[in-house]
Amino acid sequence: MEMDKEQFLSEFGKDYGYPDGPKTIDEIRATEFKRLGDTDTVYLDHAGATLYSELQMEAIFKDLTSNVYGNPHSQSDSSLATSEIIKECRQQVLDYCNASAKEYKCIFTSGATAALKMVGEAFPWSNQSHFMYTMENHNSVIGIREYALRQGAIAVAVDVEEFVDQDTSSTDQKSLFKVAQHDIQRRNANRCIKEDSPGTAHHLFAFPSECNFSGMRFNLDLIRALKEQSENTLKDTTLIKGRWLVLIDAAKGCATEPPDLSIYPADFVVLSFYKIFGYPTGLGALIVQNEAAKLLKKTYFSGGTVAASIADVDFVKHRDGIEESFEDGTASFISIASIRHGFRMLNTHTISSISRHTSSLATYLRRVLLSLKHDSGADACIIYGDNSMISEKKGSIVSFNLKRPDGSWYGYREVEKLASLSGIHLRTGCFCNPGACAKYLGLSHTELLSNVEAGHICWDDFDIVNGKPTGAVRVSFGYMSTFEEAKKVVDFLVSSFVVLPTPVRYNCLLQESDIFLIEDSEKLEKSRGLYLKSITVYPIKSCAGFCVDSWPLSKTGLLHDREWLLRSPSGEILTQKKAPEMSLISTFIDLSQGILFVESPRCKTKLQILLKSVSYCLGREEMDMHGHIYEVQSYDQEVNSWFSNAIARPCILWRSSASNCYINKQGSAGMCRDVESSLNFVNEAQFLLISEASVMDLNDRLKSKASQTLQAPIAQVSTMRFRPNLLISGGEPYDEDLWRGIRIGSKYFSSLGGCNRCQMINFDHQSEQVHKTSEPLATLASYRRVKGRILFGILLRVEKCSLENEELNSWLAVGEEVYPDMR
């Protein structure tokens, strides 16, 4: 790390870390962001939301606890004082963008999206209007086209190319722009609400100051090029040359390089304060040029926006002030008062120093990622937006995808999940920027529609469809980001995704074919001495189970296993991921009494549920889970109240009627789920089998990892952390991966492959408390990963022949010998 940092500082030392500021980056982190060091968190999603300073929040808290702020729509002393503070904050916003108060006004909104919506709603659209926007735009900008199209206007996406005017001298070169339009979009062409002549129509052009997908910064000379030289700028398009107004989405760009409106006279600029200094959320602003504001036609009025109105007569007099006319209702005055402290904190640096600091980190990361190669020489990383068609200036964002040595892609969700295990917070997907996503990933309209038909929507796990990524990985830096964070990302990516030359050894590394790399390439011999060590039944999904010496099999697996589940009143299936307290609920079934016993440290009474009685049942209905349709029964309020108290949230107990379960043909795509068997409320299969030898090997690795990294000893992981139904003893670690099936006593089971592990195994249950750690999943990810899946244990299905014998033969018993069928 030290050598790498020295090399980095030799090139970027003048830009990185605020060397001429009142505090260096190390001092900033030590005094204002102690929480990052205390939790060993690497936060690199500043384009999504940057972090607030602890000193900033202390100042806000002191302010709010020392002063009285009243509703500004009043004349009391506290209200008048609040009004003055709002005026002060408006000026701070204008000053931040170097906007003259004589030419611009600041309208506070609930965010950048609300500011964009305000422009779209109030813009004077007509059938002669055009709404033009660059492909690199957030959905919140693209949404404006709905207002334009509804009024009969034309909407069109464009690409903008920047080039140098060759007719000017080298000392006075200026940028020219070429606009290439995409297909014209239009609705209601023959039924327009408002008609204007081409000469009186108003047009709107929108672009971001910085693309939130690629980090490419647009040259703001584009504003004058369109407003003053639209005929030349649009000469290669069918767009009308007329009066163009320009909107800048500066929600991302404002954090590191706000537009200077004294030089670049945009008509509208939108921004969001949590992206600039972290707090408050839910507050943004629209900076609007005075003449442009006069064109906006607002329909709705509310308290604060009218000077007078009569309730039973069509009469209303609007307020004259631009801000007052557009800020519906009471302003969020507490949040507005808070931005003063954000600006004061930010103003301890210059915008130029923040921009240079973040750009130095982004440049370093780009260079390193572009240099990554597998041992075969194949490129390991593809960066998006590096060859911008608009500007050579690059912001604080680095977006990329990773490739395997064979040229196939790693899924971005795999990267995100593994990064989370390493304490690295980043963003994946399309970042609500569908145009840039399609442009840089090379996705055609046909492919985009095909992805949707395949089930892909925003924020899902469909990261690779038909062999192509549907999004990217994004790292974005903030003014408090450090070289150490950038380096940790690099080290994580190299260790997790770059194949480097290594000596062959017995290491249980999974290959793409799910086969292990075995020392001397010898095949495993048939395992000997294997026996069933324990059987565990989990009656209620995600609650604790109970161990038995023997237990009957059924067509759904172990009798009554995962036969019940808890759902929220809104219909969400509850698991330990959402409600960790579920792990503290203990269960036991007494087959002789026909009773399910349930206990919780949060409930004084033990709950008893009769297995055959329907006295608790209030009715039956259907539910869809992982592509299976279940008929379920619900229980009365007494039962539901007991469980609600146990997990400290409202919930409902449901029981599966396995005899009435069938497959939904339009079920969950992408699930590695047994669709041939009858299932209760399991995620994938009837049984999960874990090998005691494999758990011992994992614990050895955890112990070795702690000693190598000089960490505190990592607690040994119990076999029950993996929630197995069947635990076997004997054999070598990971023998089970090579089994096509097994026989336990006289019962036969088919293997469905490895079990994909998730964060559930990182919940450590101690002394009636649940603690989430990064282990053992982080260690498993280092040697048990296959194309995004971290495999440990195998999934089984009982063969029908094992259920067709006499009833006494359909029981499993601890101690029975296990006979694997090798691949």
Side-chain angles (χ1 to χ4, degrees), residues 443-725:
L443 297 173
S444 66
H445 290 167
T446 301
E447 288 173 315
L448 293 172
L449 292 173
S450 175
N451 291 349
V452 174
E453 291 172 358
H456 172 54
I457 58 174
C458 296
W459 307 338
D460 65 14
D461 286 341
F462 285 75
D463 49 12
I464 303 291
V465 178
N466 296 324
K468 295 181 72 171
T470 60
V473 181
R474 185 181 74 184
V475 170
S476 52
F477 297 100
Y479 77 88
M480 75 299 293
S481 298
T482 64
F483 170 80
E484 286 75 13
E485 290 176 319
K487 183 62 168 60
K488 186 169 183 178
V489 169
V490 170
D491 292 344
F492 156 71
L493 294 174
V494 170
S495 64
S496 301
F497 299 99
V498 180
V499 177
L500 301 173
T502 53
V504 176
R505 60 185 180 86
Y506 181 85
N507 58 6
C508 300
L509 278 168
L510 280 174
Q511 304 300 300
E512 305 298 354
S513 59
D514 291 8
I515 305 296
F516 296 115
L517 182 62
I518 307 297
E519 187 176 31
D520 297 330
S521 301
E522 294 180 354
K523 294 183 178 180
L524 287 174
E525 297 180 356
K526 185 173 181 179
S527 299
R528 291 174 292 181
L530 291 173
Y531 68 94
L532 184 60
K533 185 171 184 178
S534 71
I535 302 170
T536 307
V537 183
Y538 305 88
I540 305 175
K541 182 179 178 65
S542 225
C543 294
F546 62 96
C547 294
V548 292
D549 292 330
S550 62
W551 197 257
L553 295 173
S554 73
K555 67 177 183 177
T556 59
L558 294 173
L559 184 64
H560 302 306
D561 187 58
R562 275 91 166 186
E563 197 165 305
W564 290 263
L565 62 70
L566 296 177
R567 297 192 79 179
S568 70
S570 64
E572 179 185 21
I573 297 173
L574 298 179
T575 67
Q576 290 184 31
K577 294 179 184 178
K578 297 282 186 178
E581 300 83 1
M582 292 179 68
S583 64
L584 304 179
I585 297 177
S586 60
T587 58
F588 177 73
I589 291 178
D590 189 322
L591 292 176
S592 62
Q593 298 185 60
I595 297 176
L596 165 63
F597 296 94
V598 191
E599 292 185 89
S600 167
R602 295 188 174 186
C603 299
K604 295 180 180 179
T605 60
K606 178 187 293 187
L607 186 64
Q608 299 183 24
I609 298 177
L610 298 179
L611 300 181
K612 294 185 179 180
S613 171
V614 294
S615 60
Y616 292 105
C617 181
L618 293 181
R620 295 178 181 272
E621 55 186 290
E622 286 189 346
M623 67 164 285
D624 187 344
M625 175 179 167
H626 302 321
H628 275 64
I629 302 296
Y630 295 86
E631 183 178 295
V632 297
Q633 71 177 50
S634 56
Y635 290 81
D636 62 19
Q637 186 58 39
E638 181 182 355
V639 172
N640 293 333
S641 295
W642 190 96
F643 281 102
S644 297
N645 291 332
I647 66 172
R649 67 173 66 192
C651 64
I652 300 166
L653 180 68
W654 275 8
R655 183 180 184 181
S656 168
S657 176
S659 60
N660 292 289
C661 170
Y662 61 91
I663 297 172
N664 177 7
K665 293 183 179 179
Q666 298 183 13
S668 303
M671 285 290 296
C672 299
R673 183 172 168 84
D674 181 3
V675 295
E676 297 180 10
S677 308
S678 295
L679 301 174
N680 280 332
F681 297 128
V682 295
N683 286 338
E684 296 184 290
Q686 294 176 339
F687 300 88
L688 170 62
L689 179 146
I690 294 292
S691 159
E692 189 176 49
S694 299
V695 176
M696 292 176 63
D697 177 80
L698 170 61
N699 279 318
D700 288 342
R701 291 170 183 272
L702 290 171
K703 184 177 180 180
S704 174
K705 181 177 181 179
S707 63
Q708 291 175 8
T709 58
L710 302 179
Q711 295 177 344
I714 301 174
Q716 296 290 280
V717 176
S718 137
T719 56
M720 297 309 296
R721 183 82 75 91
F722 300 96
R723 297 177 62 83
N725 295 113

Side-chain angles (χ1 to χ4, degrees), residues 344-372:
R344 288 170 187 168
M345 176 275 305
L346 205 63
N347 289 338
T348 59
H349 314 288
T350 64
I351 291 300
S352 174
S353 66
I354 291 174
S355 180
R356 295 196 310 272
H357 172 78
T358 54
S359 291
S360 68
L361 292 170
T363 300
Y364 162 78
L365 183 59
R366 285 190 196 95
R367 289 182 183 177
V368 175
L369 294 185
L370 285 172
S371 70
L372 295 182

Side-chain angles (χ1 to χ4, degrees), residues 184-197:
I184 292 290
Q185 307 163 58
R186 190 159 201 174
R187 300 179 199 156
N188 303 326
N190 299 317
R191 185 178 60 83
C192 300
I193 296 175
K194 178 182 177 182
E195 293 189 10
D196 278 338
S197 63

